């Protein structure tokens, strides 16, 4: 598809998102905080309303019509996710609260796989959610907490990784796409390295799922996780995929209803996958509505989404660089639509405040990646992040408002 | 043969206009089925996936067909189990493995009976196919 | 309020719940599975739609209008809950995934408070979610897992508790209301016993919050927890209240964004309450919409709800006892609207199936309380549970359908 | 006195019709404020709750009033901090503790500035009240 056709095609999307059709402080809203959370298409909102108006019931154990209907819809999303991720088995898909929940679960159930002196690896650019749980696990097990350094360009120092990741590495956990910089990391290579070292490989796909097609088979990682709310889906829902043989072997995480086969005062036996890892009433509404987000992404096509967002990124980056004393972080080719920058001697929070007054929603601060900013010699940035529904006009409004803000602050 | 037995069931159920009569018939089937002895209803014969319990036993008969016996602790499930047994019983592993099982949908078992229960039946069918696979392998190696 | 006035007042409620205004298999739906999950009033559904149409943004760290608006709404629910529970400090309210999540969190953060040989107490009637996590903690710490037996009437054996709970008890965890039987337990007395033994006291309020006013101050427990979805609220949201001094002292649970003060490759410091226990993007939508459920309960009045449900319970119980060879479990005065029963020689699942065909939604099976049923010499029951929107007509339809089912099965 | 100073601020801001001019004024205030030295901007003077950092220093003056100095690393916050300082500076602990602080709402700081930031200011005010409480106790015990 040439760019004009693509732009034309994508232009229609915005009308599907009611939150984008509003003004703030009397100005049209330009929502560029998509890496924090995406807006939701009307079909997702409608699905939630429909669920509560027609199907609401607690799932799995019901003996009645509504319970069966909601169970069926709930399980349909699991099947759709198995297809989306190219999982071998649908029971490899585990629902929970979010990416943070997934990493905490993994760092707990992998506990007994780590021994004193082993190494647990992350990278210097990880989101705190994929950093602190591993740091704490290392502390607890007296293992070495190690990280792949980030180069000033925002890329991994893969040479370092090649030299240093040996068979003492038990777990290697990393993000596919950096939420702070938007860099797309060479995960295939790191997975290969980590697997040949015999480590468990955890891929944080939170910032990737809205932009790339995913095939957990060809990736050959052990675990892959993301949050629905960053993929045009509802809040409060995480998806964890894990290799069946591992999920079967590893211990349970949360104990309670549904994950139990038999409870007695003398002992308890656990249920099969996926129920083993889904105790308690799940976020039924979110799971069911998320199926609409999955269809939405499939219909629009992630290839189109990424191409369009990349076009916006390039356009915005060029315009941004015209501003004096501007630092654009990670201005490299391999990126999604995340633009992270600072203007010399101006605090990112000040820019954020003045952009906000002009209807432009961006995020400022450390974006939960403090080690990354320490490496880059600052404490944070202004981050504008694009989604499939953003337009070239959004970019224009953003750049104009940014110029005005910078002038006011100088 | 399996297809023929399915057709018979479908015709039989087409007869009932009301849910009540359909269920009365299923309950009747449940009451009539021979089932398993108390000693046979052990955990190792349990089929997973059922809210009520389902036990299943399969063996290879001398003439090369499969003998299926089953039971449930709930009478409606027992009736449904009886239907499944009647379809598969005394068929060869080959026929079982090549059958297209559609009668449950056609008589409205999937939409009209609970998901949990039809899952239990699905688990039962899956188990029967598993047995058939094993028996077929045994036959070939003999 | 006399009963006629009350019935009149409550009759209007049903119209507020769209899910109740439908037919299944061509019959009007009679929803009596409220102990599993309640239906949601239109205002809750509308609040979710409004959130996604107008306010959706990730909270707390935002520097823009939507992020501030949603943060404000999110925090307003925390304040409303602090008021509802009579908490001393709003930061004592922690949001998570559900009751199961809360108990698992508590059994993890209390780990270091338990030593080998200590005792951890539950009761024989607990939901698996408030049973298995403590059983596993005891196993892990080589502590003694003990339980207060249940009498055949469905009540606690408090004499046993009085004799056996000594200062070796470190944790005592129990439900206010039994989900399987509906019995209202004398928690004030057990809290007194447990506190004077010096134990941490955990109250599972999952089945109580939709029926009773709650005052965590006068209760004097240490932790109180419940799920929004059982209080006319959205799925995927739990509320945990804990005494501030304890939550401040105890270690964090999930590591990640928001709960962090400072992360570096050499170490990490944690944020203050409530953020310390709220890592990752929460279920923002559910938290915001739950405020409507809180208002709903306040406006209707839990006293009215309970009185009405109790009237339905008594009416149904009387009619039920006319059926031959009927066992009604826990037919005692201190109950909420939960009716648990079995008919001799008929499997509960069979009754559930035939009731379902007649539009009556009940639950059958063990209701995640297997030890309770073992004590009562069976494996489960049929459970009809009433909510504020149920009517005397619902009871009539239920009894008629039950009679028909039993006749078919005999 | 505190009330009078608040009124003056409210009048001053009523003057601005556009958000831009309001912010330009705040930025101006931020640039003009003396603030703290680099050595003083240490973690123990940090006030929690701000996206940008706010440092606050308070001391009891000889005449019994409270001296307040503060700073921020962001210029807009610095301007807001200047406003808060101007309202509370050189007042007695008693007056501070009995003041009704409303100017932030009245000039549209709460609705028009980010929640995070007004929370930062709220934290700053809270910290000032805490200091005032301590100073008042000191005065009484002397
Ligand atoms: C008494 C009790 N505790 C805990 C739970 C678990 O709640 P959830 O499934 O929302 O985690 C339930 C729900 O059935 C319950 O009834
Ligand atoms: C790369 C990455 N990992 C993990 C997370 C945490 O996701 P959640 O807040 O949904 O748990 C985020 C969200 O910001 C992220 O961007």
């Amino acid at each position: 598809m040439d760019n004009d056709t693509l732009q034309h095609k994508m232009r229609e999307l915005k009308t599907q998102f009611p939150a984008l059709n509003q003004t703030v402080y009397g100005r049209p809203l330009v929502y560029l905080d998509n890496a924090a959370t995406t807006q939701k298409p009307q079909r997702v909102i409608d699905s939630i309303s429909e669920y509560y108006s027609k199907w609401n019931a607690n799932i799995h154990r019901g003996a009645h019509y509504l319970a069966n209907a909601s169970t069926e819809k709930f399980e349909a999303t699991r099947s759709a996710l198995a297809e989306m991720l190219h999982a071998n088995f649908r029971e490899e898909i585990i629902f929970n609260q979010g990416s943070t929940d997934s990493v905490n679960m993994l760092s707990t159930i992998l506990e007994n796989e780590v021994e004193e002196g082993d190494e647990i690896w992350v990278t210097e650019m990880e989101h705190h959610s994929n950093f602190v749980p591993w740091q704490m696990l290392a502390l607890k097990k007296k293992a070495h907490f190690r990280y792949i350094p980030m180069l000033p360009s925002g890329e991994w120092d893969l040479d370092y990784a090649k030299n240093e990741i040996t068979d003492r590495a038990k777990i290697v956990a990393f993000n596919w796409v950096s939420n702070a910089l938007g860099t797309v990391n060479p995960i295939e290579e790191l997975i290969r390295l980590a697997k040949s070292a015999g480590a468990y490989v955890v891929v944080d796909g939170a910032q990737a799922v809205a932009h790339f097609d995913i095939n957990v088979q060809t990736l050959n990682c052990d675990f892959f996780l993301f949050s629905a709310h960053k993929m045009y889906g509802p809040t409060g829902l995480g998806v964890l995929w894990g290799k069946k043989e591992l999920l079967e072997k590893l211990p349970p995480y949360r104990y309670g209803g549904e994950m139990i086969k038999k409870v007695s005062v003398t002992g308890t036996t656990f249920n099969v996958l996926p129920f083993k890892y889904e105790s308690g009433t799940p976020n039924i509404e979110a799971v069911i509505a998320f199926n609409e987000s999955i269809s939405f992404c499939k219909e629009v096509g992630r290839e189109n989404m990424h191409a369009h967002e990349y076009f916006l990124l390039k356009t915005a980056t060029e315009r941004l660089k015209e501003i004096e004393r501007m630092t654009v972080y990670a201005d490299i080719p391999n990126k999604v639509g995340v633009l992270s920058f600072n203007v010399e001697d101006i605090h990112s929070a000040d820019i954020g405040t003045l952009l906000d007054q002009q209807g432009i929603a961006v995020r400022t601060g450390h974006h939960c990646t403090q080690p990354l900013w320490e490496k880059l010699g600052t404490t944070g940035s202004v981050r504008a992040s694009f989604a499939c529904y953003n337009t070239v006009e959004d970019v224009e409004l953003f750049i104009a408002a940014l110029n005005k803000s910078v002038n006011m602050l100088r | 043969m399996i297809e023929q037995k399915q057709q018979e069931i479908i015709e039989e159920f087409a007869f009932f206009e009301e849910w009540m009569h359909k269920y009365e018939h299923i309950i009747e089937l449940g009451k009539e089925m021979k089932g398993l002895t108390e000693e046979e209803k052990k955990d190792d014969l349990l089929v997973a996936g059922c809210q009520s319990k389902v036990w299943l036993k399969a063996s290879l008969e001398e003439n090369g067909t499969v003998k299926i016996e089953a039971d449930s602790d709930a009478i409606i499930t027992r009736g449904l189990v009886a239907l499944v047994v009647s379809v598969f019983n005394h068929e060869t592993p080959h026929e079982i493995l090549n059958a297209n099982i559609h009668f449950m949908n056609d008589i409205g078992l999937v939409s009209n009976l609970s998901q949990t229960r039809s899952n239990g039946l699905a688990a039962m069918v899956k188990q029967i196919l598993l047995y058939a696979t094993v028996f077929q392998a045994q036959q070939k190696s003999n």
Side-chain angles (χ1 to χ4, degrees), chain A, chain B:
Chain A
M1 207 180 305
D2 68 33
N3 191 42
D4 283 354
T5 322
L6 180 64
Q7 294 309 311
H8 186 77
K9 183 186 152 77
M10 303 305 275
R11 184 163 296 275
E12 177 271 333
L13 294 181
K14 205 169 202 169
T15 60
Q16 296 183 34
F17 291 77
L20 299 173
N21 182 25
Q22 64 174 316
T23 57
V24 300
Y25 312 114
R27 283 147 191 275
L29 170 67
V30 177
Y31 185 77
L32 301 181
D33 194 16
N34 295 291
T37 198
T38 53
Q39 297 301 336
K40 323 304 170 199
Q42 189 65 47
R43 61 202 278 182
V44 169
I45 307 175
D46 289 345
S47 170
I48 297 174
S49 297
E50 183 182 293
Y51 169 68
Y52 283 128
S53 305
K54 283 197 190 153
W55 309 114
N56 175 57
N58 214 328
I59 54 169
H60 289 306
R61 297 203 175 276
H64 57 81
Y65 184 86
L66 293 186
N68 297 331
S70 54
T71 300
E72 221 162 275
K73 285 168 196 299
F74 185 94
E75 292 301 328
T77 301
R78 198 190 307 275
S79 300
L81 280 165
E83 191 194 308
M84 177 182 120
L85 298 175
H86 299 268
N88 271 336
F89 306 97
R90 58 189 301 286
E91 62 266 34
E92 292 179 329
I93 306 287
I94 309 289
F95 293 117
N96 60 23
Q97 206 172 341
S99 301
T100 304
D101 197 21
S102 289
V103 181
N104 278 276
M105 167 181 156
L106 290 175
S107 69
T108 304
I109 65 175
L110 287 170
E111 211 175 286
N112 293 332
E113 309 296 308
V114 178
E115 282 168 24
E116 188 170 338
D118 284 348
E119 292 177 352
I120 298 174
W121 283 80
V122 298
T123 85
E124 204 173 8
M125 60 157 67
E126 295 309 310
H127 190 283
H128 294 168
S129 290
N130 197 32
F131 189 100
V132 185
W134 303 116
Q135 194 178 29
M136 293 298 145
L137 173 59
L139 204 66
K140 182 170 181 182
K141 304 293 287 196
K142 297 200 175 74
H144 300 290
F145 181 62
R146 301 201 59 183
Y147 61 91
I148 299 166
M150 192 185 70
L151 302 169
S153 61
E155 293 167 294
W156 290 341
D157 186 345
L158 264 186
D159 286 338
Y160 183 91
K162 272 177 210 149
N163 289 330
E164 296 289 325
I165 294 183
T166 65
D167 58 9
R168 295 200 318 194
K170 275 292 152 62
I171 298 167
V172 186
F174 46 86
N175 58 26
W176 188 340
V177 173
S178 156
N179 66 302
L181 304 176
T183 42
V184 180
N185 298 307
I187 57 165
E188 296 81 0
E189 196 155 345
L190 188 52
I191 292 171
R192 221 174 301 121
L193 268 176
K195 289 309 290 179
S196 64
Y200 291 103
V201 175
V202 178
V203 176
D204 172 357
Q207 294 291 340
V209 280
H211 316 290
F212 303 127
D213 289 325
I214 299 140
N215 185 325
V216 291
Q217 299 308 320
T218 54
L219 278 181
N220 192 27
C221 53
D222 296 306
F223 304 99
F224 187 96
L225 57 98
F226 62 97
S227 302
H229 72 92
K230 292 185 199 278
M231 201 191 104
Y232 309 101
T235 58
L237 175 62
V239 176
L240 170 67
W241 169 88
K243 276 191 189 148
K244 191 177 169 189
E245 75 225 47
L246 295 179
L247 293 177
E248 274 173 350
K249 166 186 106 171
L250 293 165
Y253 179 46
R254 268 187 286 264
Y255 304 101
E258 204 62 71
M259 58 78 68
I260 300 289
K261 201 172 225 160
K262 174 92 187 73
V263 174
S264 83
V265 290
T266 52
T268 289
T269 53
F270 301 116
N271 208 337
V272 295
L273 290 174
F275 309 114
K276 175 181 172 186
Y277 288 113
E278 290 181 0
S279 59
T281 305
N283 195 347
I284 307 171
E285 165 227 302
V287 169
I288 291 177
F290 192 42
N291 211 347
E292 291 295 328
S293 315
I294 297 167
S295 308
F296 171 79
C297 288
K298 199 171 155 186
E299 283 164 32
V300 178
R302 286 184 174 78
E303 232 180 83
N304 293 331
M305 289 177 167
H306 178 56
H308 170 67
E309 292 152 5
Y310 195 76
F311 171 69
L312 299 180
L313 174 76
K314 287 291 128 184
T315 311
T317 306
E318 285 320 303
R319 300 292 307 278
L320 212 64
K321 287 201 257 178
E322 292 165 9
I323 296 173
E324 271 173 52
R325 285 178 279 163
M326 168 66 71
T327 306
V328 175
Y329 299 103
D331 185 20
I332 56 167
N334 258 338
K335 281 184 64 174
V336 300
V338 172
L339 189 46
S340 208
F341 64 93
N342 268 321
V343 183
E344 209 179 307
D345 295 333
I346 301 184
H347 196 290
S348 63
D350 288 327
I351 294 180
T353 302
L354 295 184
L355 285 178
D356 178 42
Q357 285 295 319
Q358 297 170 82
I360 318 288
V362 299
R363 189 143 299 218
T364 62
H366 56 59
H367 320 301
C368 295
T369 57
Q370 288 179 337
L372 177 151
W373 295 113
E374 208 166 304
K375 178 59 157 281
L376 294 178
T378 180
T379 57
S381 74
V382 184
R383 181 187 71 184
S385 49
F386 305 107
C388 67
Y389 42 63
N390 287 120
T391 61
V392 184
E393 287 78 13
D394 289 346
V395 172
E396 292 303 327
L397 287 168
F398 160 57
I399 296 291
L402 178 61
N403 273 303
K404 189 162 187 170
S405 308
V406 169
N407 287 336
M408 282 176 70
L409 289 164
R410 261 180 187 155
Chain B
M1 270 301 286
I2 287 185
E3 183 52 34
Q4 190 180 325
K5 288 194 262 179
Q6 289 194 82
Q7 288 302 338
E8 279 165 23
I9 293 174
I10 293 165
E11 277 164 40
E12 201 176 347
F13 273 81
F15 193 73
F16 305 116
E17 280 175 13
E18 266 205 75
W19 70 270
M20 244 189 87
H21 299 136
K22 199 188 276 185
Y23 274 92
E24 278 169 351
H25 183 62
I26 293 171
I27 291 167
E28 208 49 49
L29 291 175
K31 285 184 180 161
E32 282 167 5
M33 184 174 74
K34 187 173 153 271
L36 297 170
T37 63
E38 286 310 310
E39 293 78 56
E40 286 174 313
K41 291 185 205 159
K42 280 192 226 106
D43 275 7
D44 57 339
L45 293 188
L46 259 182
V47 169
C50 310
Q51 203 188 22
S52 41
K53 290 180 185 165
V54 174
W55 296 270
L56 175 75
K57 215 178 136 181
S59 51
L60 198 56
E61 294 168 308
E62 287 203 354
N63 63 352
T65 59
V66 181
K67 181 178 173 191
I68 296 168
E69 295 161 287
D71 210 329
S72 170
D73 57 347
I75 192 73
I76 294 173
T77 314
R78 209 166 189 265
L80 297 169
V81 163
L83 284 176
V84 175
V85 170
S86 75
V87 166
F88 287 108
N89 209 6
H90 306 308
E91 301 292 342
T92 63
H94 180 81
E95 276 169 287
I96 290 174
L97 288 170
N98 287 288
N100 166 23
I101 300 300
H102 55 83
F103 81 95
M104 286 187 281
N105 277 300
D106 294 342
I107 64 172
L109 288 194
V110 172
S111 67
N112 238 4
L113 290 177
S114 83
Q115 170 76 10
T116 338
R117 187 152 300 112
S118 63
N119 272 349
L121 290 186
M124 181 181 169
V125 171
K126 209 167 151 189
Q127 191 67 28
I128 291 174
L129 295 179
L130 212 66
Y131 273 118
T133 312
V134 174
F135 293 150
Q136 192 170 45
Q138 283 178 3
Q139 287 173 330
K140 282 192 182 140
S141 67
N142 284 352

